[in-house]
Amino acid sequence: MVILPVLAADRSPCLRRAASAGALLAALSAPAGAEEVADLTQLSIEDLLSVEVYSASRFAQKTTEAPAAVSIVTAADIKHYGYRTLADILASLRGLYVTSDRNYQYVGVRGFNRPGDYNSRVLLLVDGIRVNDAVYDTASIGNEFFLDVDLIDRVEVVRGPGSSIYGSNAFFGVVNVITRRGRDYDGLEVAGSAASFGTGAGRLTYGRRFDNGAEALLSASYSDSQGQDLYFPEFDTPENNNGIAQKRDHARYQKFYGKLSYEGFTLTSAWSESIQGVPTASFDSVFNDPRTRTVDTQAVLDLAYDGKLTERLDLSGRVYYGRYFYDGTFPYDAPPVTVNVDQSRAEWWGAEARLVGRFDRHKLVFGAEYQDNFRQGLKNYDLAPYEVYLDEQHDSTRQAFYIQDELPLGERLRLSAGLRYDHFSTVGGTWNPRLALIYAPQPETAIKLLYGTAFRAPNDYELYLNDAGLTSKPSEDLKPEEITSYEIVVEHQFQANYRVSASVYQNEISDLISQVIDPADGLSVFRNTGRVESKGAEFEVERAWADDTRLRASYAWQITRAKDTGAILENSPRHLAKLNYSMPLIGDALRAGLELQYTSSRKTLAGARTGGYGIANLTLSSDKLADGLELSASVYNLFDRHYADPGRPEHVEDLIGQDGRSFRLKAVYRF
């Protein structure tokens, strides 16, 4: 049964957000104000570890000067390690981990990834534009993410609070996906792949920079997966097919992305639809029913400008429209079997302007943003007999302005200070500062002392969840949740091609938004109830050799507790270890990319623990067999390691098993 008056709120797909991960979408132009960067696949050994980062301050700067701990994954990394989704990319980075419920994927940062959350505490950008949706604030990182990973030039991950320059959702960090340009293709490119579980995918991309300076990129992608048979012991009865869900994790997506640039203007459009079968019988739906699925549709249209007002003053701005539709279908046994439909509808438009100026020793950033969420809808109903349980239609606005100053205090000392004010029509205003003192005792070393705060405003779902008083009620006086962070980062470059970094941090979270039961009436409601403290340390080494062998290895120790009880949070591993190693074979005719990931045990919602596990992924690739042809073969979970992620509140399963060994063969041909 998915939703009936006698059910608790966590039994309804919409009332518990039914697998609705969504993400708005909006792919956009090259980040305004960012200096042009070289093809990251062609960098020299000396430049490989000195790539500039844009996302930390909204202008390009050396990573050693950025007021944050930053990681970069390049297009070469994506190719060499066979990454299929943004989730694969994020899972490779220090201090980050990804959990899957076999419908959507959720990123954890520094020990925080509570079952039931929907990626709302990480801000996802594409070319500098926010793509968290306008209903749940979800950042999509799986197949539902509207951008094909082959179109990614690099991914910048900025750890720590970023609300001083980005506003809401930049809570634990910012992920900025920077797309490739038409000149990076210079013609037509065709890609195709075949993978385990009856999965096939194809992509057609055209890119060109014309003689008049105009630049165009058009790309379309399609994928279809038949799925696999999965065993769930919780449903091991004859009437439930002995616990076997037969290919109920089938999936299909189609995506379109286009970008046209000319004389400082960039017009971008994107559209995607992702259909995902749900094998876990979440929200009390019927096990092994072929109708259970979620559909995420995203669209965006964006016009951006980037240019110079004077020699010292740069101007950038954009106007954009976005849309996110979600539809979930969940049959439940009333009896008879009834189909429940879970929906959300979001549309918005917005505008942004930013000035970057260089005055004496100061580098100043001034910015203002406005967004009108003119459609924010939640609906849940049974098809036959037709009965509506939830129908909320709202709209909201947000406005913000911010300033950041970067000031040298001497030859070796630099100060970065920022402050932003955000005002939401729903919950009012909030101020958030950031301070970074960066000391370079020698050119090869940077010591960063970082302080900052961030917030996450309650989203439409948390504010207005309401089924007329049957199981839930709307929230009253809900405030933004807040985080205060302290961090020390040390980065040292032993040689031009050899760098290490280490950081120690403490995060203090207050007014955490959680769904609770009101003892006065027994109804579920969102309240500011929790306080959490997170402490940890991270260490990473990067090395490149003259023969283009590359190494990145990291270790993270983290502990995240509820401050009032001292209890360790669910789905919070104490240890994370990562290793990425790629090297040429047979001269440079073949390349091997090996990835190792270790995740320690985690507490589940039922109080049990998952086992710690390590997995290995191997990719062999070559672009030397024929002109314009690239071939690769990847094996994921090479040693067929059996492991599980914690279940979520909507699941009967306390542990959800993950994929064993799988493969992918891929070919890319450029005309």
Side-chain angles (χ1 to χ4, degrees):
M1 181 179 297
V2 176
I3 175 170
L4 287 175
V6 297
L7 292 180
D10 63 0
R11 299 298 187 182
S12 162
C14 188
L15 301 181
R16 274 298 297 160
R17 175 56 163 106
S20 147
L24 160 117
L25 35 61
L28 301 134
S29 55
E35 284 86 348
E36 197 170 283
V37 295
D39 182 353
L40 295 179
T41 64
Q42 304 298 325
L43 291 178
S44 68
I45 298 300
E46 289 74 16
D47 293 336
L48 184 63
L49 300 181
S50 302
V51 176
E52 290 186 327
V53 61
Y54 168 82
S55 308
S57 299
R58 289 197 167 187
F59 57 78
Q61 60 190 158
K62 296 179 181 179
T63 57
T64 54
E65 297 177 355
V70 182
S71 292
I72 298 175
V73 177
T74 69
D77 296 325
I78 294 171
K79 179 170 63 175
H80 295 159
Y81 299 112
Y83 296 143
R84 300 157 293 183
T85 64
L86 181 57
D88 286 348
I89 296 171
L90 298 179
S92 72
L93 296 175
R94 71 178 186 271
L96 276 62
Y97 58 106
V98 171
T99 300
S100 170
D101 66 356
R102 292 201 166 275
N103 187 11
Y104 297 104
Q105 293 174 294
Y106 313 93
V107 61
V109 182
R110 291 180 165 176
F112 196 102
N113 187 6
R114 297 194 310 170
D117 289 349
Y118 294 94
N119 289 344
S120 61
R121 294 178 178 90
V122 172
L123 179 63
L124 178 60
L125 310 171
V126 173
D127 290 330
I129 295 299
R130 127 184 341 258
V131 297
N132 296 63
D133 75 78
V135 174
Y136 306 102
D137 279 338
T138 302
S140 291
I141 61 172
N143 284 328
E144 73 281 3
F145 180 47
F146 64 88
L147 191 67
D148 193 303
V149 295
D150 285 351
L151 303 182
I152 295 176
D153 182 68
R154 60 177 173 168
V155 177
E156 299 179 354
V157 176
V158 182
R159 295 168 181 79
S163 289
S164 68
I165 199 166
Y166 287 109
S168 186
N169 305 115
F171 201 76
F172 290 116
V174 176
V175 177
N176 190 10
V177 179
I178 298 174
T179 61
R180 307 189 77 180
R181 303 159 298 179
R183 73 189 73 174
D184 296 323
Y185 294 91
D186 194 28
L188 183 66
E189 183 174 277
V190 179
S193 65
S196 298
F197 319 128
T199 302
R203 174 179 58 85
L204 182 64
T205 301
Y206 174 80
R208 179 76 69 185
R209 186 177 187 179
F210 302 98
D211 293 340
N212 64 356
E215 195 161 3
L217 174 65
L218 297 172
S219 184
S221 304
Y222 178 84
S223 177
D224 184 84
S225 178
Q226 297 177 12
Q228 58 184 307
D229 292 346
L230 298 168
Y231 172 66
F232 296 91
E234 294 82 0
F235 296 95
D236 193 352
T237 61
E239 58 270 25
N240 283 321
N241 197 36
N242 298 313
I244 298 175
Q246 294 178 302
K247 294 181 171 52
R248 299 301 177 231
D249 65 335
H250 58 87
R252 184 173 74 250
Y253 69 73
Q254 44 194 337
K255 306 178 182 184
F256 169 80
Y257 178 81
K259 183 164 62 175
L260 177 64
S261 302
Y262 182 67
E263 291 190 347
F265 288 93
T266 301
L267 178 66
T268 303
S269 64
W271 175 88
S272 69
E273 180 186 68
S274 174
I275 302 173
Q276 177 67 57
V278 184
T280 54
S282 53
F283 303 101
D284 281 348
S285 57
V286 175
F287 183 77
N288 198 37
D289 193 302
R291 294 170 292 183
T292 308
R293 69 176 192 174
T294 57
V295 181
D296 296 274
T297 305
Q298 308 174 1
V300 69
L301 183 65
D302 173 83
L303 178 63
Y305 173 77
D306 178 24
K308 283 184 174 294
L309 289 180
T310 68
E311 285 301 314
R312 293 187 174 186
L313 196 60
D314 300 333
L315 170 67
S316 60
R318 67 193 335 125
V319 179
Y320 59 89
Y321 162 82
R323 184 180 70 182
Y324 165 65
F325 285 5
Y326 159 79
D327 292 271
T329 304
F330 296 87
Y332 66 91
D333 188 0
V337 172
T338 302
V339 175
N340 180 265
V341 177
D342 191 36
Q343 290 182 338
S344 68
R345 299 287 185 265
E347 291 185 273
W348 61 94
W349 75 273
E352 175 186 349
R354 181 169 64 257
L355 290 170
V356 179
R358 294 162 291 278
F359 308 101
D360 296 328
R361 298 191 304 159
H362 298 263
K363 189 164 188 177
L364 291 169
V365 180
F366 304 89
E369 299 177 12
Y370 174 80
Q371 183 167 312
D372 179 10
N373 304 313
F374 60 88
R375 184 181 185 186
Q376 293 173 298
L378 294 165
K379 189 172 183 178
N380 184 276
Y381 59 94
D382 287 345
L383 279 176
Y386 183 74
E387 184 171 359
V388 177
Y389 301 104
L390 173 67
D391 191 357
E392 292 284 338
Q393 305 298 324
H394 297 273
D395 58 74
S396 64
T397 61
R398 65 173 179 89
Q399 305 90 35
F401 65 86
Y402 57 90
I403 181 172
Q404 178 175 289
D405 186 11
E406 184 180 281
L407 173 66
L409 300 179
E411 184 178 349
R412 299 180 178 180
L413 193 62
R414 181 183 302 269
L415 174 67
S416 177
L419 181 66
R420 174 169 167 140
Y421 176 75
D422 287 83
H423 185 273
F424 289 75
S425 61
T426 52
V427 294
T430 177
W431 292 89
N432 287 273
R434 180 175 69 178
L435 294 172
L437 194 62
I438 304 172
Y439 175 59
Q442 52 188 352
E444 300 83 9
T445 305
I447 301 173
K448 305 177 182 180
L449 304 180
L450 310 176
Y451 164 82
T453 70
F455 76 101
R456 184 182 72 87
N459 55 50
D460 198 64
Y461 167 71
E462 293 163 336
L463 286 168
Y464 302 117
L465 175 64
N466 177 28
D467 61 356
L470 296 175
T471 62
S472 62
K473 60 182 181 180
S475 303
E476 297 179 359
D477 302 321
L478 199 58
K479 301 182 297 183
E481 57 187 19
E482 300 176 343
I483 184 172
T484 302
S485 179
Y486 310 86
E487 185 170 2
I488 301 174
V489 180
V490 179
E491 299 174 352
H492 180 72
Q493 194 152 328
F494 288 101
Q495 303 169 12
N497 60 344
Y498 181 22
R499 184 175 65 192
V500 297
S501 62
S503 60
V504 179
Y505 63 86
Q506 177 173 314
N507 296 327
E508 298 176 357
I509 303 169
S510 59
D511 292 326
L512 189 67
I513 298 173
S514 303
Q515 191 175 35
V516 300
I517 300 297
D518 188 340
D521 52 24
L523 298 179
S524 68
V525 62
F526 282 96
R527 294 266 172 83
N528 297 103
T529 60
R531 295 193 307 153
V532 172
E533 183 179 68
S534 177
K535 300 178 180 179
E538 298 172 351
F539 176 80
E540 183 171 75
V541 57
E542 296 176 86
R543 182 76 187 267
W545 285 266
D547 66 349
D548 204 23
T549 295
R550 306 180 187 184
L551 168 71
R552 184 179 74 240
S554 68
Y555 168 74
W557 175 88
Q558 52 205 16
I559 183 167
T560 305
R561 299 179 183 272
K563 206 165 184 180
D564 50 350
T565 65
I568 300 294
L569 293 194
E570 294 86 1
N571 195 23
S572 180
R574 183 73 59 90
H575 307 281
L576 295 171
K578 314 287 177 70
L579 184 144
N580 289 77
Y581 183 77
S582 69
M583 62 179 294
L585 302 174
I586 317 175
D588 61 351
L590 187 66
R591 189 174 191 91
L594 176 65
E595 180 174 57
L596 304 177
Q597 297 180 5
Y598 171 76
T599 303
S600 66
S601 66
R602 294 162 284 169
K603 187 168 72 172
T604 69
L605 285 175
R609 298 199 69 86
T610 68
Y613 67 91
I615 60 172
N617 304 318
L618 177 64
T619 295
L620 299 176
S621 58
S622 176
D623 57 4
K624 304 294 185 180
L625 298 180
D627 289 342
L629 178 65
E630 297 179 7
L631 298 175
S632 65
S634 300
V635 182
Y636 306 96
N637 196 355
L638 178 64
F639 301 109
D640 200 23
R641 181 76 164 89
H642 296 283
Y643 68 102
D645 285 337
R648 296 165 60 84
E650 63 265 30
H651 296 120
V652 174
E653 304 92 337
D654 191 42
L655 294 170
I656 298 178
Q658 301 301 305
D659 287 344
R661 185 187 298 113
S662 62
F663 72 90
R664 184 186 69 170
L665 301 175
K666 183 178 179 180
V668 179
Y669 187 76
R670 181 171 296 181
F671 293 89

